[in-house]
């Protein structure tokens, strides 16, 4: 491991970061979006450590959400969207779990979830929006009164109030803030000074990180202080927001990491096929998660050929001409 | 006669609805094809952007999801969800959102959440994502549907995204100051909404479809009195679609729309 005195207390292996900061029943937010920058290595490690009863708070998470649900780590879910684009228009284990009544869940929209993280980051108890008025998102709550007594669950899903600044009738929706126990993000770079740099779209990652009590960053590279400070306009989070920093190259595989690698179409197709069947899914978990001693072992199983195929063209950010059918 | 797929006809029919200078919010699947085609063929000054935060990507390859790295490449700006929704709802902009759904009702309200009992559904879909937000905030939405009776329903199993709500002025009365459903583009034709009642009617049927097919496959009574046959895709439209928009034929080739589920 690199020697970085400024972040020596935060730099740790993945298993240690999960052991120290993720706990049974924790409220967890994960960064990324559908097939991009999901903290997959961290999700695999959470499964290997047998963490249970997670309360997952998501906007549009894809692969990491689906595998955490499929492995039985998630008890409660607040979600806007669960899909993997063309690879799984609705994430398969998510779909099964909801249809079989195995999850406590509530639906929100993407903007609503992003705003709820923003409210958490700003330290305000709720945030207004017009989005959702008239929809069944307001009509159907998913959590029972007992669940609502939990300190991490708001006592109402929404409130509709009149705009206090208008003399005319003008209704508006209030959304409760979210303050997750832990947020895990996968970033391209962390500097030796702890500064985090995310390239490409940031989704709601920064709001999720600033709303959380604890932040774990997995990253592709740890880079010198001089490099991360070359162009501070590109940087995403200062060091003081982070609690654990873990270097995990290809840590978002099989989802994409802009400028480093594309999503892995073959793997996502294989996953979908195995996730459709309960027995095959068990085999999948044994083979690809429990059977792997480390992310390096997992990557050797994925194989050099595929890792080269999905390697991003650094100028474009994705793998040009990748076979995606 | 030139052969073409349903998805190609749908993308072209939807693209023809975009005006130059519109700011187009694209979802996944055929919606993305239509947004890209619109810019390349009909509306060069239109700007395509994605709910994930990518503004005006070069789209040299077609993205497979709105979280695809291809929506971050060659952009004017990369940002995040909150910035993207501040664009969708911006009062200065004329924003059009392309959305798909599992069910639509006569007022253009959409279901992308579930079929059956919400708490233990017969079929669960992906959920709102940005659809509820885009339909609340954009200047208008254009909806893509597979035209089937079970999808064009009297009553949605779950109302995820508000179109014209209960018709008439009901959308405005909810507190949604602008927006509403502009059109539904299906594998059979293009449906629009009456100016006053906001009820869906058939405006165009595709060359391979008929008025009867539309009536048979719609689960509520529909006005077809003014329907006209759509102009088939022109060779130059198909050329751009196939050679520039989707050279890998990821979406063009399919005859199935890709609704959630």
């Amino acid at each position: 491991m690199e020697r970085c005195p400024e972040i020596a207390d935060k730099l740790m292996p993945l298993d240690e970061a999960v052991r120290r900061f993720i706990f049974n029943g924790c409220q967890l937010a994960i960064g990324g979006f559908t097939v991009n920058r999901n903290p997959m290595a961290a999700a695999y490690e959470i499964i290997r450590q047998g963490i249970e009863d997670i309360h997952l708070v998501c906007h549009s998470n894809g692969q990491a959400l689906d595998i955490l649900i499929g492995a039985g780590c998630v008890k409660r879910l607040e979600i806007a969207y669960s899909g993997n684009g063309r690879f799984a228009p609705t994430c398969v284990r998510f779909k099964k779990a909801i249809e079989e009544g195995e999850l406590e869940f509530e639906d929100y929209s993407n903007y609503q979830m992003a705003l709820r993280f923003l409210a958490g980051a700003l330290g305000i108890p709720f945030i207004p929006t017009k989005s959702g008025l008239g929809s069944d998102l307001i009509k159907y709550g998913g959590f029972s009164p007992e669940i609502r007594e939990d300190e991490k669950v708001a006592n109402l899903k929404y409130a509709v109030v009149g705009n206090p600044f208008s003399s005319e009738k003008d209704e508006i929706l209030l959304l409760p803030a979210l303050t997750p126990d832990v947020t895990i993000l996968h970033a391209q770079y962390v500097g030796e000074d702890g500064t985090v740099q995310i390239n490409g779209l940031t989704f709601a990652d920064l709001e999720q990180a600033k709303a959380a009590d604890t932040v774990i960053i997995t990253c592709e590279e740890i880079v010198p202080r001089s490099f991360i400070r070359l162009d501070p306009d590109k940087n995403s989070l200062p060091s003081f927001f982070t609690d654990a920093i873990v270097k995990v190259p290809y840590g978002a595989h099989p989802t994409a990491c802009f400028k480093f690698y594309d999503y892995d179409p073959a793997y996502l197709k294989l996953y979908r096929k195995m996730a459709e069947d309960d027995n095959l899914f068990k085999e999948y978990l044994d083979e690809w998660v429990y059977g792997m001693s480390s992310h390096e072992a997992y990557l050797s199983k994925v194989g050099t050929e595929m890792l080269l195929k999905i390697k991003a063209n650094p100028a474009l950010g994705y793998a040009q001409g990748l076979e995606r059918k | 006669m030139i052969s073409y797929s349903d998805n190609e006809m749908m993308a072209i029919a939807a693209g023809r609805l975009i005006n130059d200078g519109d700011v187009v919010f694209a979802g996944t699947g055929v919606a993305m094809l239509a947004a890209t085609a619109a810019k390349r063929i009909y509306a060069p000054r239109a700007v395509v952007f994605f709910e994930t935060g990518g503004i005006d990507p070069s789209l040299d390859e077609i993205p497979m999801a709105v979280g695809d790295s291809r929506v971050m490449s060659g952009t004017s700006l990369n940002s995040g969800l909150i910035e993207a929704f501040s664009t969708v709802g911006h009062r200065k902009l004329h924003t059009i959102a392309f959305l798909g759904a599992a069910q639509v009702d006569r007022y253009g309200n959409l279901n992308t959440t579930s079929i059956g009992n919400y708490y233990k559904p017969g079929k669960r879909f992906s959920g709102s994502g940005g659809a509820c937000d885009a339909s609340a905030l954009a200047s208008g939405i254009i909806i893509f549907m597979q035209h089937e009776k079970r999808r064009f329903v009297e009553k949605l199993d779950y109302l995820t995204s508000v179109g014209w709500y209960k018709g008439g002025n009901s959308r405005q009365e909810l507190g949604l100051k602008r927006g509403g459903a502009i059109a539904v583009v299906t594998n059979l034709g293009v449906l629009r909404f009456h100016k006053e009642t906001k009820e869906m009617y058939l405006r165009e049927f595709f060359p391979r479809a008929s008025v009867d097919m539309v009536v048979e496959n719609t689960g509520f009574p529909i006005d077809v009195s003014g329907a006209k046959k759509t102009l088939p895709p022109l060779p130059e439209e198909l050329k751009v679609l196939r050679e520039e928009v989707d050279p890998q034929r990821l979406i063009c080739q399919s005859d199935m729309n890709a609704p959630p589920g």
Side-chain angles (χ1 to χ4, degrees), chain A:
Chain A
M1 203 180 293
E2 285 86 347
R3 256 178 263 181
C4 311
E6 283 181 82
I7 51 169
D9 56 333
K10 296 181 181 178
L11 207 55
M12 62 188 80
L14 186 56
D15 56 344
E16 186 186 336
V18 171
R19 198 166 296 118
R20 272 175 63 178
F21 295 113
I22 311 283
F23 53 92
N24 288 346
C26 70
Q27 191 182 76
L28 176 68
I30 47 181
F33 198 97
T34 63
V35 290
N36 219 300
R37 254 183 342 85
N38 284 214
M40 293 307 302
Y44 297 143
E45 185 57 29
I46 288 171
I47 295 169
R48 279 193 288 270
Q49 290 191 22
I51 310 283
E52 293 175 336
D53 297 333
I54 291 174
H55 176 176
L56 201 57
V57 285
C58 298
H59 45 85
S60 286
N61 288 120
Q63 190 64 10
L65 158 120
D66 202 52
I67 197 167
L68 286 172
I69 290 174
C73 303
V74 179
K75 178 183 177 190
R76 190 174 295 163
L77 180 65
E78 295 180 49
I79 190 168
Y81 185 88
S82 170
N84 264 350
R86 266 182 101 240
F87 302 105
T90 304
C91 284
V92 180
R93 298 311 302 187
F94 158 81
K95 179 179 162 73
K96 273 184 194 282
I98 300 273
E99 289 174 3
E100 284 160 25
E102 290 167 357
L103 285 177
E104 302 162 358
F105 69 98
E106 283 198 330
D107 275 279
Y108 285 91
S109 72
N110 272 348
Y111 185 41
Q112 290 171 349
M113 289 302 285
L115 287 173
R116 296 180 68 199
F117 289 118
L118 176 64
L122 294 173
I124 52 178
F126 56 83
I127 194 162
T129 179
K130 287 278 184 181
S131 178
L133 289 171
S135 79
D136 283 351
L137 292 170
I138 305 180
K139 197 164 149 193
Y140 297 104
F143 293 162
S144 65
E146 296 76 56
I147 297 174
R148 295 215 173 275
E149 281 172 20
D150 188 305
E151 66 163 328
K152 280 287 176 186
V153 179
N155 64 356
L156 289 173
K157 187 181 178 193
Y158 293 100
V160 178
V161 299
N163 173 0
F165 302 103
S166 171
S167 52
E168 286 163 26
K169 182 177 179 260
D170 184 25
E171 289 199 322
I172 194 142
L173 203 60
L174 304 182
L175 305 162
L178 277 168
T179 51
D181 293 309
V182 188
T183 288
I184 311 177
L185 306 181
H186 186 74
Q188 281 86 351
Y189 300 108
V190 176
E192 282 174 353
D193 64 350
T195 305
V196 178
Q197 184 181 112
I198 293 173
N199 295 156
L201 301 178
T202 50
F203 311 118
D205 285 13
L206 310 183
E207 291 81 8
Q208 287 177 308
K210 289 174 187 168
D213 293 343
T214 300
V215 177
I216 300 175
I217 305 289
T218 62
C219 66
E220 293 295 322
E221 291 285 0
I222 307 265
V223 292
R225 184 189 176 89
S226 57
F227 178 87
I228 207 86
R229 295 202 171 205
L230 204 58
D231 190 356
D233 295 1
K234 282 187 181 170
N235 293 341
S236 310
L237 279 175
S239 180
F240 48 72
F241 278 113
T242 64
D243 299 277
I245 295 165
V246 185
K247 182 179 168 183
V248 196
Y250 282 94
H253 179 276
T255 69
C257 185
F258 189 60
K259 293 193 172 170
F260 279 76
Y261 44 92
D262 219 319
Y263 42 73
D264 181 340
Y267 191 99
L268 289 169
K269 268 193 274 188
L270 172 81
Y271 176 88
R272 184 192 173 147
K273 192 178 140 236
M274 298 192 85
E276 297 276 4
D277 178 279
D278 290 353
N279 290 326
L280 283 177
F281 188 67
K282 278 200 189 87
E283 277 176 36
Y284 165 81
L285 287 177
D286 284 340
E287 193 180 336
W288 286 95
V289 183
Y290 295 116
M292 293 292 124
S293 54
S294 65
H295 202 62
E296 287 78 4
Y298 167 90
L299 292 175
S300 11
K301 190 168 162 65
V302 172
T304 317
E305 192 185 338
M306 183 49 79
L307 296 181
L308 287 173
K309 274 187 189 162
I310 62 171
K311 183 179 179 296
N313 176 323
L316 296 169
Y318 57 87
Q320 196 176 19
L322 176 67
E323 175 63 61
R324 295 186 288 153
K325 276 185 184 168

Side-chain angles (χ1 to χ4, degrees), chain B:
Chain B
M1 189 177 159
I2 318 164
S3 70
Y4 52 89
S5 69
D6 284 351
N7 276 359
E8 287 173 332
M9 182 71 248
M10 288 170 76
I12 287 166
R16 289 171 182 164
L17 298 170
I18 297 300
N19 297 311
D20 209 9
D22 282 351
V23 178
V24 184
F25 173 102
T28 52
V30 74
M32 207 171 300
L33 203 63
T36 318
K39 181 171 171 63
R40 303 264 172 135
I41 306 172
Y42 319 98
R45 287 185 300 120
V47 177
V48 179
F49 81 109
F50 294 87
E51 70 176 272
T52 41
I55 313 268
D56 200 20
S58 58
L59 297 176
D60 296 325
E61 288 190 9
I62 198 140
M64 301 272 254
V66 299
D68 195 311
S69 292
R70 287 156 189 78
V71 310
M72 313 175 189
S73 188
T75 52
S76 66
L77 184 79
N78 282 334
S79 60
L81 298 184
I82 288 175
E83 291 86 345
F85 286 109
S86 73
T87 301
V88 180
H90 203 284
R91 63 191 184 282
K92 256 171 77 174
L93 306 173
H94 193 251
T95 55
I96 304 295
F98 281 126
L99 302 171
Q103 289 180 328
V104 62
D105 70 13
R106 72 180 69 193
Y107 297 116
N109 303 302
L110 304 176
N111 174 11
T112 53
T113 303
S114 56
I115 301 288
N117 177 344
Y118 169 69
Y119 300 101
K120 206 170 178 227
K123 196 160 189 185
R124 172 69 205 206
F125 304 118
S126 51
S128 161
C132 168
D133 312 308
S135 40
L137 304 172
S139 311
I141 57 171
I142 295 174
I143 304 151
F144 289 99
M145 295 292 301
Q146 198 65 20
H147 211 134
E148 296 169 20
K149 220 168 197 157
R150 64 186 179 117
R151 296 180 184 276
F152 282 68
V153 294
E154 280 283 0
K155 190 175 180 342
L156 302 175
D157 286 52
Y158 186 100
L159 196 168
T160 316
S161 306
V162 175
W164 294 114
Y165 196 47
K166 293 174 180 168
N169 291 326
S170 60
R171 180 186 166 92
Q172 285 252 320
E173 285 161 8
L174 274 178
L176 300 173
K177 302 295 182 208
R178 70 172 194 178
I182 296 170
V184 184
V185 178
T186 79
N187 51 315
L188 301 180
V190 179
L191 304 107
R192 303 292 292 259
F193 295 87
H194 280 289
K195 224 174 170 172
E196 302 295 324
T197 66
K198 309 298 186 193
E199 275 192 73
M200 195 189 293
Y201 68 92
L202 182 67
R203 169 78 157 264
E204 302 173 19
F205 55 95
F206 291 155
R208 292 199 302 237
S210 67
V211 170
D212 286 350
M213 282 166 79
V214 171
V215 172
E216 274 165 35
N217 288 288
T218 304
F220 45 82
I222 184 142
D223 177 7
V224 296
S225 56
K228 293 190 175 71
K229 192 190 263 193
T230 306
L231 188 69
L234 302 170
E236 53 270 34
E237 288 173 325
L238 284 171
K239 186 171 168 359
V240 173
L241 204 57
R242 290 169 184 178
E243 290 175 18
E244 291 180 31
V245 178
D246 186 15
Q248 293 174 296
R249 312 277 290 153
L250 295 170
I251 301 169
C252 276
Q253 62 164 13
S254 168
D255 256 346
M256 279 295 292
N257 186 9

